[in-house]
Amino acid sequence: MDFSPSCKDKKKTIDQSVLLCCKLFISESRNRAALDAIELTARLNPETIIVSKFEDQAYNRARYTLV
């Protein structure tokens, strides 16, 4: 990134986006209502995508990767 004064004075001519990734770990995956609520909430935001969902039945845990 260029932080020189000439760069700061220029107007932004293109839209700038930020990509964020969130890994959400749930330690009690037997609560299906909670998992469904998480998925529904993530889908309500058009800019959020559930990239992956991992469920470990043996340890009752789940992991979501949201972008």
Side-chain angles (χ1 to χ4, degrees):
M1 293 183 122
D2 183 9
F3 292 105
S4 63
S6 61
C7 182
K8 287 182 182 179
D9 295 335
K10 293 179 183 176
K11 291 185 179 181
K12 294 179 184 174
T13 57
I14 60 172
D15 291 332
Q16 293 183 350
S17 299
V18 176
L19 178 65
L20 299 176
C21 177
C22 173
K23 295 221 180 234
L24 179 62
F25 294 88
I26 308 297
S27 62
E28 186 53 62
S29 68
R30 289 182 285 190
N31 186 346
R32 294 303 310 172
L35 297 179
D36 291 342
I38 290 167
E39 290 181 38
L40 176 64
T41 303
R43 288 190 173 100
L44 288 175
N45 185 337
E47 294 184 355
T48 302
I49 299 170
I50 298 174
V51 176
S52 68
K53 176 184 176 183
F54 171 75
E55 289 188 71
D56 187 350
Q57 299 288 333
Y59 292 98
N60 297 316
R61 60 187 176 189
R63 181 194 71 224
Y64 292 91
T65 303
L66 307 172
V67 176

